[in-house]
Amino acid sequence: MLIMTDGEKTMRLEDFDMRPLRNHSRPRSGSINHRSKHIDGYNGNWYFGSEIGSKTYSLQANILEPDWKKLEKRLDELTAFLFDSKGKPKIIKVQWENIKKFAYVRLADSIVPDVSTILEKIPIQFINYDSNEYAESDAFDLDRPLKYDSGNEYGSKAYPNTQSFAWNIVPNHYAAIENYSYLDTPIKITIKGTVKGGSVKHLESGKSISFPDVSNGTVVIDTETYNVSVNGSDILELNGDFFEMITGSNGFQFIAEQAKATVNFDWLHKFM
């Protein structure tokens, strides 16, 4: 059910001889806290927005291990995977095998095995402070081209996303990306090569960002951190507005007086 990665190793609960049950808890959003206040003389409350808190996933695994020493060893192995060398819960990337989404989580509470029967119950809770779930940029790309845009579960418009392209000969270049999530999604654009008078425009929002000339250099536009860097140095004075990808199709226009470079897109589909 779960694929867990700590940055070095990738494990499943089955690797610890544990069998996860299907009756797990996976909320669609974190806890919601509405901000409202009653004002004298007005009916009801005034709404001042809401906040999304952390999200907790609960599951239970069973293990059939009559040998106490072997059971203790398996539990030690699981603990060593979930905690770092200082005894703090690690950040674990958890992916559900039957879908393409993943989340960054920590162990939320202590694991207290129920050993009252020969079939031991191992309750596990993970907490996701970010609250969001993600999918890789190519997670929903088609395995093969569709004829006449038919038979696609994501709608009539679905094409493999552009991960990179060569920006040369034609300075005015168009590219498109499909955001299959229903949330606005940040993106990182890396431009390597030589560009003079360059800018990037997000066609759906009309927002664009210009960047300094580079010669055999690297420009990184990161709309998550609201940062533009040239050859590793941040640009303090920006010309333009940052943008995010909207749901569905997102078009980009790359404009330059002169361009001979490679452009790479880096993003994740973002879900609650």
Coordinates of all heavy atoms in Angstrom, one line a residue, residues 6 32 56 58 68 86 96 105 115 127 141 157 188 234 241 262:
D6 N 13.2 7.6 2.8 CA 13.8 8.5 3.7 C 15.0 9.3 3.1 O 15.7 10.0 3.8 CB 14.3 7.8 5.0 CG 15.5 6.9 4.7 OD1 15.9 6.7 3.5 OD2 16.0 6.3 5.7
I32 N -9.4 22.4 9.3 CA -9.8 23.8 8.8 C -10.2 24.6 10.0 O -11.1 24.3 10.8 CB -10.9 23.7 7.8 CG1 -10.5 22.8 6.6 CG2 -11.3 25.1 7.3 CD1 -11.6 22.5 5.6
T56 N -3.3 14.3 9.2 CA -2.8 13.1 9.9 C -3.3 11.9 9.1 O -4.5 11.8 8.9 CB -3.2 13.0 11.3 OG1 -2.7 14.2 12.0 CG2 -2.7 11.8 12.0
S58 N -3.7 7.8 9.3 CA -3.7 6.7 10.2 C -3.8 5.3 9.5 O -4.6 5.2 8.5 CB -4.8 6.8 11.2 OG -4.7 8.0 12.0
W68 N 9.2 -14.0 19.8 CA 9.3 -12.7 20.4 C 10.6 -12.0 20.0 O 10.6 -10.8 19.8 CB 9.3 -12.8 22.0 CG 7.9 -13.0 22.5 CD1 7.3 -14.2 22.8 CD2 6.9 -12.0 22.8 NE1 6.0 -14.0 23.2 CE2 5.7 -12.7 23.2 CE3 6.9 -10.6 22.7 CZ2 4.6 -12.0 23.6 CZ3 5.7 -9.9 23.1 CH2 4.6 -10.6 23.5
K86 N 19.5 11.0 16.0 CA 19.2 11.8 17.3 C 17.9 11.4 17.9 O 17.6 12.0 19.0 CB 19.3 13.3 16.9 CG 20.5 13.7 16.3 CD 21.7 13.6 17.1 CE 23.0 14.1 16.5 NZ 24.2 13.9 17.3
W96 N 1.4 6.4 -2.2 CA 0.4 5.3 -2.2 C 0.6 4.5 -3.5 O 0.6 5.1 -4.6 CB -1.0 5.9 -2.1 CG -1.2 6.5 -0.7 CD1 -1.8 5.8 0.3 CD2 -0.9 7.8 -0.3 NE1 -1.8 6.7 1.4 CE2 -1.3 7.9 1.1 CE3 -0.3 8.9 -0.9 CZ2 -1.1 9.0 1.8 CZ3 -0.1 10.0 -0.2 CH2 -0.5 10.1 1.2
V105 N 6.0 13.4 5.2 CA 5.4 13.2 6.5 C 6.4 12.9 7.5 O 7.6 12.6 7.2 CB 4.3 12.1 6.4 CG1 3.3 12.3 5.4 CG2 5.0 10.7 6.2
V115 N -0.1 -6.7 21.4 CA 0.4 -8.1 21.3 C -0.5 -9.0 22.2 O 0.0 -10.0 22.7 CB 1.9 -8.2 21.8 CG1 2.8 -7.4 20.9 CG2 2.0 -7.6 23.3
I127 N 2.1 12.4 10.2 CA 1.6 13.8 10.2 C 2.2 14.5 9.0 O 3.4 14.4 8.8 CB 1.8 14.5 11.5 CG1 1.0 15.8 11.5 CG2 3.2 14.7 11.8 CD1 0.8 16.5 12.9
D141 N 1.2 12.0 -17.6 CA 1.4 12.0 -19.1 C 0.9 10.7 -19.7 O 0.9 9.6 -19.1 CB 2.9 12.1 -19.4 CG 3.4 13.6 -19.1 OD1 2.5 14.4 -18.8 OD2 4.6 13.8 -19.3
K157 N -8.2 17.1 -23.9 CA -6.8 17.7 -24.2 C -5.8 17.0 -23.2 O -5.9 17.3 -22.0 CB -6.9 19.2 -24.0 CG -7.6 19.9 -25.1 CD -7.3 21.4 -25.1 CE -7.0 22.0 -23.7 NZ -6.7 23.4 -23.8
K188 N 9.6 26.0 -11.5 CA 10.9 26.5 -11.6 C 11.4 26.4 -13.0 O 11.3 25.3 -13.6 CB 11.9 25.8 -10.6 CG 13.3 26.2 -10.7 CD 14.3 25.3 -9.9 CE 14.0 25.4 -8.5 NZ 15.0 24.6 -7.7
D234 N 21.6 35.9 -6.6 CA 20.2 36.4 -6.7 C 20.1 37.8 -7.3 O 21.0 38.6 -7.1 CB 19.6 36.4 -5.2 CG 19.5 35.0 -4.6 OD1 19.5 34.0 -5.4 OD2 19.3 34.9 -3.4
D241 N 6.4 40.4 -12.8 CA 5.6 39.8 -11.8 C 5.7 38.3 -11.8 O 5.7 37.7 -12.9 CB 4.2 40.2 -11.9 CG 4.0 41.7 -11.7 OD1 4.4 42.2 -10.7 OD2 3.4 42.3 -12.7
T262 N 19.1 26.1 -23.5 CA 18.2 25.0 -23.2 C 17.4 25.4 -22.0 O 17.9 25.9 -21.0 CB 19.0 23.7 -22.8 OG1 19.8 23.3 -23.9 CG2 18.1 22.6 -22.5

